[in-house]
Amino acid sequence: MSGPAVPGTVLVTGTSSGIGLQAAVAAARAGHTVVATMRTLEGARALRSAGETAGVNLDIRRLDVTEPASITEVIAHMLDRYGRIDALVNNAGAGHVGTIENEGLDVVRAVMEVNFFGVVSVTRAALPHLRQSRGRLITVTSVGGVVGQPFSEAYCAAKFAVEGFMESLAPVAATAGVTVTVVEPGAVASSFVDNVGLDPRASPPNDPYASALAGYLARAAQSFSAAQSAESAGAFVAALLDGERPPFRVQTSDAARAFVGVKLADADGSAVQRMTTAWLD
């Protein structure tokens, strides 16, 4: 699958909703055999319904990226049933909003565990088999993996870490025929944003950041009111499984491209600081 692709066997994580669900369905519609995973199968109803509507079959499995045994089990299942793994789409993740003075290091570690170490764990398990198939390793990160955003220190740190990890891995994996790509969505209309673990009413008494947080949340609400659809973003991800080898870094929309472009052209960091500071007014 490093060159023009033929239908293959694809592992997609985080498929209970949003981009992962839509990417799994779109990949199956394109003819790929899709093993669609999620942390708990209690969330599989929406995926099953979407698959039935699209007229595709999905092999739905439980995989918690923070549990090594569940990763091993799914990899073994794929090899036993299909004999190969042609692509991995790392999509599982969890949002988080907060600032370090108001939360403990245990919270930061938990965000890193899911969003960074979970990606590393699944990647490590799949790589030997992607080498054999000369396959594709696609990881959904975020524009937050390029531009640090207020009240998102832990989340953006995890996404920055994923981007650095994959950027470093890409030339190494390429020597073994594996193509590595990171996908950077901007605001996407999905339940992901509902799961950031934020209760504005739970701010500490006399919180010095309360006003700034209110400004940030107002800006976030405005951003998500014009968000890209999960179907559009998921279809974009699935399309990376086919055709010529994709570049290392891609964005799912013009808005995402413009957003990360500010950072990539910002040698001293001042443009990003001006932009994100304005969000807090």
Side-chain angles (χ1 to χ4, degrees):
M1 291 178 70
S2 289
V6 296
T9 302
V10 181
L11 169 59
V12 187
T13 68
T15 64
S16 62
S17 64
I19 295 175
L21 183 154
Q22 297 294 342
V25 172
R29 191 184 292 119
H32 298 285
T33 297
V34 177
V35 178
T37 70
M38 59 193 68
R39 185 173 59 86
T40 170
L41 293 179
E42 293 173 1
R45 179 177 298 176
L47 177 60
R48 288 196 180 98
S49 176
E52 290 171 1
T53 299
V56 298
N57 293 318
L58 298 165
D59 185 352
I60 302 175
R61 299 280 158 174
R62 179 186 178 275
L63 189 157
D64 184 333
V65 299
T66 68
E67 292 181 7
S70 75
I71 298 171
T72 300
E73 182 176 340
V74 169
I75 295 292
H77 163 73
M78 293 183 71
L79 296 176
D80 180 62
R81 183 165 180 175
Y82 306 112
R84 60 190 293 126
I85 301 174
D86 294 290
L88 165 63
V89 178
N90 283 311
N91 176 73
H96 180 73
V97 172
T99 192
I100 189 60
E101 190 175 340
N102 291 344
E103 58 191 14
L105 287 179
D106 57 328
V107 174
V108 177
R109 290 191 175 101
V111 173
M112 293 293 292
E113 192 65 38
V114 173
N115 292 298
F116 174 62
F117 288 108
V119 169
V120 173
S121 295
V122 180
T123 297
R124 184 175 185 270
L127 261 177
H129 313 292
L130 295 176
R131 277 196 296 103
Q132 291 179 5
S133 64
R134 300 181 70 83
R136 296 187 180 182
L137 168 57
I138 298 167
T139 301
V140 180
T141 63
S142 167
V143 294
V146 181
V147 179
Q149 300 173 40
F151 296 99
S152 302
E153 298 105 292
Y155 178 76
C156 286
K159 295 299 184 179
F160 269 59
V162 168
E163 293 245 349
F165 179 90
M166 292 298 172
E167 192 167 29
S168 300
L169 175 63
V172 178
T175 67
V178 179
T179 300
V180 177
T181 298
V182 295
V183 184
E184 297 162 348
V188 172
S190 76
S191 60
F192 179 87
V193 73
D194 298 325
N195 297 323
V196 295
L198 176 69
D199 180 358
R201 298 167 299 180
S203 294
N206 303 313
D207 181 4
Y209 306 111
S211 177
L213 176 59
Y216 172 74
L217 292 176
R219 187 265 173 192
Q222 182 180 27
S223 174
F224 278 93
S225 70
Q228 181 181 16
S229 71
E231 183 176 7
S232 170
F236 183 97
V237 172
L240 297 172
L241 297 167
D242 300 310
E244 295 297 328
R245 176 163 45 192
F248 169 72
R249 175 178 285 112
V250 294
Q251 297 80 38
T252 64
S253 67
D254 290 340
R257 276 185 288 277
F259 187 77
V260 302
V262 174
K263 172 66 170 284
L264 297 178
D266 184 24
D268 69 358
S270 58
V272 167
Q273 288 300 305
R274 284 194 300 271
M275 178 177 68
T276 56
T277 298
W279 296 355
L280 308 180
D281 292 340

